[in-house]
Amino acid sequence: MKTIDELLAEGVAGKRVFVRADLNVPLSGTAITDDGRIRAVLPTVKALAEAGARVVVASHLGRPKGAPDPAFSLAPAAARLGELLGAEVAFATDTVGESAKATVVGLADGQVAVIENLRFNAGETSKDDGERTAFARQLAELADLYVGDGFGAVHRKHASVFDLPALLPHAAGYLIATEVGVLKKLTADVKRPYVVVLGGAKVSDKLAVIDELLGKADRILIGGGMAYTFLKAQGHEVGISLLQEDQIPQVTEYMERAEKNGVELVLPVDVLVSTDFPDLKTKAPADFDTVDADAIPSNKEGLDIGPKTRELYASKIADAETVFWNGPVGVFEHPDYAEGTRAIAQALVDSSAFTVVGGGDSAAAVRTLGFDENAFGHISTGGGASLEYLEGKTLPGLAALEG
């Protein structure tokens, strides 16, 4: 895989460089609530601009239906990128139309532009190879070189991620190089004990990675909504908690295999429960009880791990040499149900291990709860991409950069 440093050494001054970034930031209206993904691509964009390239940044945002939708415009992300760069960033109001062409033509050496949301064009995400390639060819007309730096999208076989690199000389940006280097530390020559913390709502989202980790991790700590399927598989009442009953046979098999493989699979011993889902808009005080994990009332829902579980999980992380965390262990958006996720983050900060925070929700939790990002070994920008890499899958965007 060619690196951006090699590309810079060959010279990029005066050349149009298409940077496939991941500017898929969370928005409240037009306000960005977490700019982590924009900051993650800054080193690549700055290096190219300082070397005299004419930088064309492209990304998706959200899931528009292949047509323009103002709610998913990249205009706020372009404005924030300009603030972070300390320089004006031009913005094209389409992807490959007149605005994009004129904006790119208007760039001087060292200037940066952002084109509109790639998913406003149906060709970006099409499953038809011909339609995708046709869109990639239109994008290729905007540039001389391609730099892939949107790690959060490399698991997608999309036009700007998979097809476009085949049409232009290409290299991996700094973010992708960093992400791949980190993930190799989690899959090859891992320092042990290797502890994995998995949270989030659905156990189905994590089945494949659990399957792979049962042969690699020393301990797997389970939290979040997915924990209740495990507790149900053990025969416990879970009340009205999140439950994927159809996954119980698979979860049961994983618990049996963990025991056989000597992998410590750790479940909550107590949980915070309530009859009402918390008000996440006003964050009004919640009405909850703390109960043992095997004594959840039939009319209540588990919303966070309890204090005994926080202590237990912190002790399981304390002696680790490598820790990977993906998914909050409670409804961290509400202060009354954030303490479990806070405890996991704090345990990683206190650990001397190489710590990796993976997944958009986990990264957002770290920032929302006020932790210093530099206190962690690495905060990944690609939740789905990270998980698929750990599952051993070939990621289309990485394969394209290696081609």
Side-chain angles (χ1 to χ4, degrees):
M1 188 183 294
K2 188 173 186 176
T3 68
I4 187 173
D5 284 331
E6 292 175 280
L7 196 69
L8 292 167
E10 293 170 359
V12 296
K15 294 183 178 179
R16 301 167 301 160
V17 183
F18 188 102
V19 177
R20 199 338 177 155
D22 179 10
L23 308 181
N24 186 27
V25 292
L27 295 172
S28 177
T30 59
I32 296 170
T33 59
D34 182 359
D35 67 357
R37 286 178 172 169
I38 301 175
R39 287 186 285 112
V41 78
L42 281 178
T44 291
V45 174
K46 278 184 175 179
L48 289 167
E50 289 171 1
R54 302 178 182 191
V55 187
V56 182
V57 181
S59 175
H60 71 284
L61 192 153
R63 296 178 183 273
K65 307 295 184 183
D69 183 339
F72 297 107
S73 175
L74 278 174
R80 181 59 179 151
L81 178 61
E83 291 172 0
L84 293 168
L85 287 171
E88 184 178 350
V89 168
F91 180 66
T93 56
D94 56 29
T95 56
V96 291
E98 292 307 313
S99 178
K101 292 173 183 175
T103 300
V104 172
V105 166
L107 288 176
D109 293 0
Q111 290 187 328
V112 179
V114 173
I115 62 173
E116 186 54 284
N117 192 335
L118 292 165
R119 290 185 182 175
F120 284 2
N121 189 302
E124 170 67 2
T125 59
S126 176
K127 293 182 180 179
D128 181 274
D129 290 349
E131 189 176 359
R132 238 183 21 254
T133 300
F135 181 50
R137 285 185 178 135
Q138 289 180 292
L139 292 172
E141 293 176 5
L142 301 175
D144 305 303
L145 304 168
Y146 176 95
V147 172
D149 213 30
F151 183 74
V154 293
H155 59 315
R156 306 295 188 191
K157 193 176 182 181
H158 291 169
S160 66
V161 175
F162 178 74
D163 303 274
L164 184 55
L167 303 176
L168 295 170
H170 51 267
Y174 291 123
L175 174 60
I176 280 186
T178 299
E179 294 274 11
V180 171
V182 165
L183 288 168
K184 284 180 178 177
K185 292 183 180 181
L186 300 179
T187 53
D189 194 27
V190 181
K191 291 185 178 180
R192 299 184 180 279
Y194 178 20
V195 178
V196 176
V197 185
L198 295 177
K202 294 182 179 179
V203 69
S204 56
D205 293 341
K206 304 292 197 305
L207 286 177
V209 75
I210 294 171
D211 184 55
E212 189 71 18
L213 289 169
L214 285 173
K216 290 186 170 71
D218 297 299
R219 295 179 200 132
I220 302 176
L221 317 182
I222 303 293
M226 62 184 288
Y228 302 102
T229 301
F230 281 85
L231 291 171
K232 185 71 171 181
Q234 288 185 326
H236 302 311
E237 170 68 58
V238 297
I240 57 173
S241 305
L242 281 172
L243 174 65
Q244 289 185 286
E245 203 144 5
D246 61 322
Q247 302 297 334
I248 288 177
Q250 187 68 71
V251 164
T252 301
E253 191 271 325
Y254 283 172
M255 290 193 291
E256 292 170 353
R257 185 142 55 95
E259 186 174 2
K260 181 180 177 181
N261 291 358
V263 177
E264 192 178 358
L265 189 62
V266 189
L267 299 178
V269 294
D270 63 341
V271 296
L272 273 57
V273 297
S274 178
T275 54
D276 295 311
F277 193 81
D279 182 346
L280 299 181
K281 287 188 176 180
T282 66
K283 296 182 172 53
D287 180 18
F288 64 87
D289 299 308
T290 302
V291 300
D292 289 342
D294 60 359
I296 297 174
S298 61
N299 66 333
K300 294 195 175 184
E301 177 180 13
L303 295 164
D304 194 11
I305 58 173
K308 289 188 287 188
T309 305
R310 294 171 213 155
E311 290 184 17
L312 172 65
Y313 284 13
S315 72
K316 297 295 183 182
I317 292 169
D319 67 342
E321 289 294 328
T322 304
V323 183
F324 173 66
W325 171 31
N326 181 286
V329 296
V331 186
F332 77 91
E333 297 91 344
H334 192 285
D336 289 331
Y337 300 112
E339 291 310 305
T341 300
R342 186 189 305 278
I344 296 297
Q346 188 62 55
L348 265 67
V349 170
D350 294 341
S351 170
S352 60
F354 175 62
T355 57
V356 179
V357 179
D361 286 342
S362 304
V366 163
R367 299 182 186 109
T368 299
L369 297 174
F371 287 89
D372 180 358
E373 294 179 45
N374 295 321
F376 303 89
H378 179 68
I379 297 180
S380 177
T381 59
S386 297
L387 289 178
E388 290 196 17
Y389 189 101
L390 294 179
E391 290 164 18
K393 291 183 178 179
T394 297
L395 305 187
L398 296 185
L401 292 174
E402 289 166 353

